[in-house]
Every structure is written in structure tokens, then in C-alpha cells.
Amino acid sequence: MLEIARPLRQATPATPKKASHRILEIDGLRGIALTLVVVFHLFGHGRVSGGVDVFLTVSGFLLIMSLGRALSTGKPLGIVARWGRTFSRLAPPAALVLLAVTIASFVVLSPWMREQNLLEVVSTAFYVENWQLITTQLAYGAAGPLTSPLQHFWSLSVQAQFFLLFPLLVGLLTLVVRLRKARVAVFWSLLAAATLASFLYAWHANDVNPQAAYFDTFARFWELGAGGLLAGLITNGRTLPMILRPIAGWLGLAMIISSGFIFDGGSAYPGPAALLPVGGAAFVLLSANGGWLSPSPLLRSRPLVFLDSISYGLYLWHWPILIVFFTINETDQLSWVGACLVMGLAVAVTLLTRWILNPAIAWATAKTAKRALIFALVAILAAAVPAGAAYAVVELRSSATIALDSCAGAAALDPDRPECADAGEGEELVPTLETLRSDDANRGACWSRGSDPAVNVCSLGSDAPGAFRILAVGDSHNNVWLDVYEQIAELHGWRIDAAGRAGCQWVEPGTPVYGQPDDEAAACQDWRAAIDERVASGEYDAILTTASSKSGFRSDDDAVSDAEVHTIALLGAWQHRSDDRVPIIVLRDNPIFPQESLECIADRAAVDAGECSLPRDEALLETGFDDAVAQTTNAHTIDLSDLECGPARCEMVVGGVIVTRDGAHLTRAYAATLAPYLNDALVELLEDD
């Protein structure tokens, strides 16, 4: 009998594998969501698809599922490791895009957008682009040469803020609530309450100020929170019955895809309308593993998994490429051929980005969380530092005092100064193109905006008790004159109190405000009432007012023109004057040019040929001011149009000085050249009075 050299190993029962909570359909769902955004941007004329809402829901689902599992098992949250893994993947591709935008800001994109673009690069690098867009009141909309090339980064900023702050809040919870079961219960209860509160806030914010609500992290949290609550249901085995999953899955996909056609997401989301794409994502997640009749095979398929692998890069690259395309072609219209070209280029650059960065990302995430986190921080700084330095240089140039020749600007149109007729020919334009948009005399102390009810009034000139006092009031077209007002006030020992409000003329308070969210319209009406009180106080010796001729005043009566409605609204405000002996002086508005016509002045040959102009009757718009002056005792008009426009046409550059910084407002430089003429007109009127 042979001996067995090695004893037989006793069989042991196989250890059952732990059930995986990984939902394989997520890859395909995320790929569809982000690709929908790109497709709607390129082929849907900038329409909002609802894909971002799905993306945020999936992001919340994944993070909260992981955190919830750690809480329930008592494992460490691993916050630093999470940050390292997440941002070492997110930051490097974004940094490449931001570096490309920084370079494009100097070589391709409109020079007057440079300062704003550089500021947004820094904001985006540090994941606060959504708040930057709110601060600068940039609306999310269709692309064009003057559109921010980084506005699409707002959603990544919201996601990053969530990934940064939410784990910290959960960590704080673990310190406050020590018992595991109690901690889990409190976690899910607080998440549900916060999600509901965010939804109600988003509903309200979307009603009163949809432009800001669209970017607002607190208004968007409910979409992330909804994903987290879904994660809680699924990890506790609460999914749909197998028989319902195919129906729910296809219904969910239909809801997601159709949401961009049903709603204008730019104004409807993140309000209740966003329940359509978010609800669609919920149906898809709850119907996972639904069998061959469900969308599961499609969402797990190789093409959609590959689409998910490139969707982040495609999302990052497509929008800046689109803005560059529009800028080069000097258009805001995209044909199908153009859309396909942009899409193809975005895919190619995305694949190149993966090829360049994937080895480095794999190296950074292979070992310690510290390495991954440092790698992410280096990527962030690599994007932010060059743009920040360039922004500082541009800011320095824009804040520098401009020395103007005595013949510059308005003097070139002065018939009494024929020696100035050729001023500025062959010389560099003032201001420079890169500082054009910021060549603004406005000051925060004199300015009110948004829903802020404050009535900010600044005092310029003399503080002497007996000084002659003027109230200068209007919208942003009033505040372009602040430097000039101050110069005139100091020259004569006057005091000029200046008050301006964004998009808000001084007219009868109850006059409707068009084109503004409800809270801003209400603040405008309150501001008008406060100005009425100042006018009625008797403390002013003259009232000076001006406003944009583009402001909307609409008539509901076919027998009454819009201009007549404006006149009636003006008369209603002017009647609050304390005494008819106090003159009301109207400063006629400057010429208005289409914003896209700014592209013309980037071509010096076109400027010198007189091509950057409009017929006078198109640039100088009619309003109700003339009739209001005619119907009011001791009301007068100061018209400087002949110093802004020639006899037949209004040029965008006069005497070597650019007239308008954005098509609607005078540049600070051109207003400065009008100072002597406004001074003379005011002195003549007030002396006669």
C-alpha cells in the first residue's frame, strides 16, 4: 500500500461573496447624460437638455452611497483619500482646458472679454465658477463670440463643492453622534430634510430669479440629495419589483431624453420642472438589473461604457471649442456642418487629453492618498497661477490713468476746433481693447443692483453746508458719468449726489419693470420710491437724470405708443419735485450699437475706413424724455449727440477714443472728453435759472 506523501486538504465550505452595490448601468447613464448636454449645445442652439441634472443626481448617488455604507459599518470615512481619488481625476483634464482658454484669451478670443475670461479661469480652477457667474450676472444661454467659454463649468463647481464639503459634514456628524445606529438614522433624516429644504428653496428662487437660481449650489443640492436618498433605498434592498423594471427603465430614459425638448431648462431648472430628468434618473437606477427587456443591456454595452469614459473630457472641451469657432467665424449661428466639425474636434482633443493624462493619473492614484491630493493641487495651481498673473497685469493696465490729448474724442467733432478733426489717426486706440469692458467709471458707493433693496447714494465734490446741490439719478447710463460729475462738482464747489440702479430708470414707482426677475423688479420699484422722497425733500437745487434709451416701456393700448407710456411714467416721478423752481435737467442718452458690432473695432483698417458705425437715426433711439420735458415747467435737455455722432452716422471710434465699452455704455475715456461740454451746458442752464 502506497503512502500519500502529502495529506489531502480537507474541503471547506466556500465563503459566500458579499453582494455588490455597484450598479453597472450607471456608466451608461452618466455617458448619456453628459453627451446629451453636448449634443443639445451643438445641435440644439444652446438649449439645456436636463443632462446636467442627471449628472448631479448620479454624483450624489455615488458619494452618498459610499458614505452611508461607511457609516452603517463603522468604517473610517477616509475623507482625505476620497478627495485625493476624486480630484486627481477631475482636476488635471480641467487644468488643460483652462490653460487652453488662457492662451485663447490672448490669441483668439475677443480682447475685451480677456479680463472676464481670466477671472473665470481662476474661479473655475478653484471650483467657484457658479458663484462667479452669479456675481457677474452672466446668464446661462446659447453660445456666441461674447459668451463665456467657461460657463459650462458651473456644474462641475457645484459637484466639487459637494464632494469637498459634504464628507466634512458627515465627519462632523460622527463626532457629535457616537452610537452607530443613531448616527445612521440621523444621517438619513438630515439628508431627507436638507433635500426637501433645497427643493423648496429652488422652487422659490426659480420663480424670483431664475438666472441666479440656475447656478446656485443651495438650489442644486436637492438634485444631489435625491441621488443620495435613492442610494439609501437601494442599499437597503428597496428596488422595484422585477416585473416593473423594464417599464420603469425605459420610461426613465424617455423622461431624461425628452426633458430638453419639453422644458427650457435655462429658465425652468432647478425648479420643479427638473423633477422630469431627476425622476428619469431615479427610475433608471431603481430598475437596474432588470433583464434583457429593460435598458440594462444597453446601458452596460461597450459603446455606452466607452461614451462614459470620454464624456467628462467631451463636456470640458466642447464649449470652449464652440466659442472659439464662433469668434473666428464672427457669427453666433451654428450649421449642422459646423456642429459636426466642433463635435469631431472635441472628440479628438478629448482622446488626446486621455492619452496624455491617463498614465499620470494612474501613477498619482496608485499608492497613497497624499500623492493623489498633491497631484490634484498641482493641477489646480497650474491652471490658476498663469491666469491669475495675467489677470493682475490686465487689471493694472485698466486701472492706470489714461492721458488724453486735448483733441482726443469729442473734440474731433467740435466745429469750433477744426484742428482736432483728424485726431487719433494712426495712433493706438484708447482705451486698449483688452481693458475696454472694464473702462467704466461706476463705483459701488453710488450703485444698487440685483434684489438688494439698498439705495446707495454717493456725494461728489464739496461738503460745505451751503454748497449748491444736484441730485444725479438714473440707471447705469447715469453712472458712466461719475468721474465727470466729480470733476465738475470740484471745479465749481458744488455737491453732486449720484445714485444709479441696474436696469432701473427713475420713473413712477409702479411702472412695470420688464426683463428682470421678480425680486429685482420689486427692488427697482422701491428704489424709485426712495428717489421720489429725496426729490421731494427740498434739499436739492437741481435734479439731473439720464437713462438708457433701450429701456422697455410697453403700451397695452394700440392708441398709445411706448414712448407715450414712458412720458407718462416720467411725469409721474417728476411731479414729486419740491418746487417748480428746482430745474429738472435731462441728459440725452448716448448712441447705442449692437453688442456684436464690437468685433469691428478689433479691425483697425475697418475703423479707419469708417465701417464701424451706424446711421445716426438707428443709433440715437427715440424715448419719451422730449415730450416729458416739453410738458414740465422748468425742465431742460442737454443734448451732446453732435459730440458723439457725425451729421449722418455715429462712429464707434471718435478722435482715437472708443465711444462705447459694450455697445450700450460710454467708455470712461470718451465720457472724459465730453466733460468740458457737459460742464458748459450745466453752467449755462443753472446760471440762466
Side-chain angles (χ1 to χ4, degrees), residues 3 24 72 109 152 188 212 238 257 272 309 391 393 451 511 521:
E3 276 191 10
L24 300 179
S72 62
L109 299 175
H152 65 310
W188 291 110
R238 306 293 179 87
I257 295 170
S309 71
Y391 176 77
V393 172
S451 58
T511 306

Side-chain angles (χ1 to χ4, degrees), residues 383-450:
V385 170
Y391 176 77
V393 172
V394 173
E395 270 287 283
L396 189 62
R397 292 188 65 182
S398 66
S399 61
T401 302
I402 302 172
L404 292 172
D405 184 87
S406 62
C407 276
L413 294 175
D414 186 348
D416 296 330
R417 301 193 64 188
E419 74 277 10
C420 295
D422 298 327
E425 288 190 6
E427 299 178 6
E428 185 179 359
L429 299 181
V430 178
T432 63
L433 294 180
E434 69 178 0
T435 61
L436 178 62
R437 296 300 288 267
S438 60
D439 195 50
D440 182 12
N442 203 357
R443 312 173 191 181
C446 322
W447 184 238
S448 305
R449 67 182 298 176

Side-chain angles (χ1 to χ4, degrees), residues 288-409:
N289 302 307
W292 66 274
L293 287 175
S294 74
S296 293
L298 172 66
L299 294 173
R300 296 179 178 188
S301 65
R302 285 188 177 181
L304 281 188
V305 171
F306 171 75
L307 187 62
D308 174 55
S309 71
I310 67 168
S311 61
Y312 175 59
L314 190 61
Y315 181 83
L316 294 180
W317 280 109
H318 82 283
W319 191 262
I321 292 174
L322 178 60
I323 302 305
V324 168
F325 177 88
F326 281 144
T327 303
I328 292 173
N329 290 279
E330 298 182 358
T331 182
D332 58 0
Q333 301 297 318
L334 190 66
S335 66
W336 277 78
V337 173
C340 290
L341 178 64
V342 172
M343 175 68 91
L345 185 57
V347 170
V349 177
T350 296
L351 293 175
L352 179 61
T353 300
R354 291 182 69 205
W355 181 76
I356 293 172
L357 291 178
N358 276 4
I361 293 174
W363 170 83
T365 55
K367 292 193 175 182
T368 65
K370 181 180 178 181
R371 178 197 286 182
L373 199 56
I374 291 174
F375 182 67
L377 289 173
V378 169
I380 290 170
L381 293 175
V385 170
Y391 176 77
V393 172
V394 173
E395 270 287 283
L396 189 62
R397 292 188 65 182
S398 66
S399 61
T401 302
I402 302 172
L404 292 172
D405 184 87
S406 62
C407 276

Side-chain angles (χ1 to χ4, degrees), residues 114-199:
R114 186 171 299 153
E115 189 174 22
Q116 179 64 30
N117 288 342
L118 293 173
L119 179 60
E120 288 190 43
V121 168
V122 177
S123 299
T124 299
F126 290 111
Y127 297 104
V128 290
E129 169 68 351
N130 61 319
W131 296 110
Q132 171 61 32
L133 292 170
I134 291 174
T135 301
T136 51
Q137 295 191 326
L138 296 180
Y140 193 85
L146 299 180
T147 306
S148 163
L150 296 173
Q151 70 172 13
H152 65 310
F153 269 88
W154 73 265
S155 59
L156 302 177
S157 295
V158 170
Q159 180 200 36
Q161 290 160 26
F162 177 69
F163 284 169
L164 279 169
L165 298 178
F166 194 80
L168 288 178
L169 294 175
V170 177
L172 180 62
L173 174 65
T174 62
L175 296 177
V176 174
V177 183
R178 307 301 297 180
L179 294 177
R180 187 190 306 174
K181 287 186 178 180
R183 181 187 299 163
V184 170
V186 171
F187 170 75
W188 291 110
S189 299
L190 289 178
L191 177 63
T195 301
L196 177 60
S198 172
F199 177 76

Side-chain angles (χ1 to χ4, degrees), residues 139-140 202 204-216 220 265-270 516-520:
Y140 193 85
H204 171 73
N206 198 76
D207 283 341
V208 298
N209 192 350
Q211 180 174 306
Y214 190 86
F215 303 118
D216 192 331
R220 288 287 179 175
S267 59
Y269 300 158
Q516 292 189 12
D518 291 346
D519 57 343
E520 294 185 19

